[in-house]
Amino acid sequence: MSQSAKSVFIYGIYLVLIGLMLLFVPNLLLNLFGIEPTNEVWIRFEGILLMATAVYYFIGAKYELILILKTTAFIRFTVIVFFTAFVILELVPARIIIISVIDFLGGAWTYLMLKKEGHFARNKY
């Protein structure tokens, strides 16, 4: 497995872990970031969606699907923009930025490995 694929695979594991927390102990995670606890089912749905998304990361990594690997890197770069907007709009506490920094750094890791492996050469997907 290439380094870029490995970075996406590891990020997939991270998504599964966060997804499991949201599914089974959502308020533990919410409390860590200063978000009010909830008994609503939507947060558990989010956990399932994160785990479903992780499957795409695992498949992309396993089969070295470069387009998927590139896409995950760029998507993870955008998370910090949205989370920062949520903080500025006072929808969530500032410590939620920690998660977006993890996403950003993971995206940077994947991007740098893809670049090192030559996947941004001209005429490549």
Side-chain angles (χ1 to χ4, degrees), residues 26-28 30-31 34-40 42:
N27 290 325
L28 176 66
L30 294 176
N31 287 335
I35 299 171
E36 286 190 40
T38 184
N39 291 320
E40 295 182 30
W42 66 266

Side-chain angles (χ1 to χ4, degrees), residues 9-90:
F9 185 83
I10 290 169
Y11 190 77
I13 293 170
Y14 166 77
L15 289 179
V16 168
L17 294 174
I18 298 298
L20 286 170
M21 287 184 74
L22 290 175
L23 182 60
F24 294 111
V25 287
N27 290 325
L28 176 66
L29 193 61
L30 294 176
N31 287 335
L32 284 174
F33 295 102
I35 299 171
E36 286 190 40
T38 184
N39 291 320
E40 295 182 30
V41 73
W42 66 266
I43 194 73
R44 296 175 194 276
F45 287 158
E46 292 301 320
I48 293 168
L49 289 173
L50 279 179
M51 290 185 292
T53 301
V55 172
Y56 292 102
Y57 282 64
F58 292 143
I59 290 171
K62 180 179 179 179
Y63 294 102
E64 302 274 343
L65 301 173
I66 301 306
L67 184 58
I68 299 297
L69 302 182
K70 285 180 177 181
T71 303
T72 69
F74 290 112
I75 288 171
R76 289 180 279 158
F77 284 146
T78 67
V79 173
I80 200 165
V81 173
F82 290 105
F83 281 28
T84 301
F86 295 156
V87 170
I88 290 169
L89 295 170
E90 298 180 355

Side-chain angles (χ1 to χ4, degrees), residues 113-124:
M113 292 302 100
L114 285 164
K115 189 170 174 118
K116 180 180 173 185
E117 295 162 1
H119 295 296
F120 288 103
R122 205 173 176 111
N123 297 325
K124 283 199 169 190

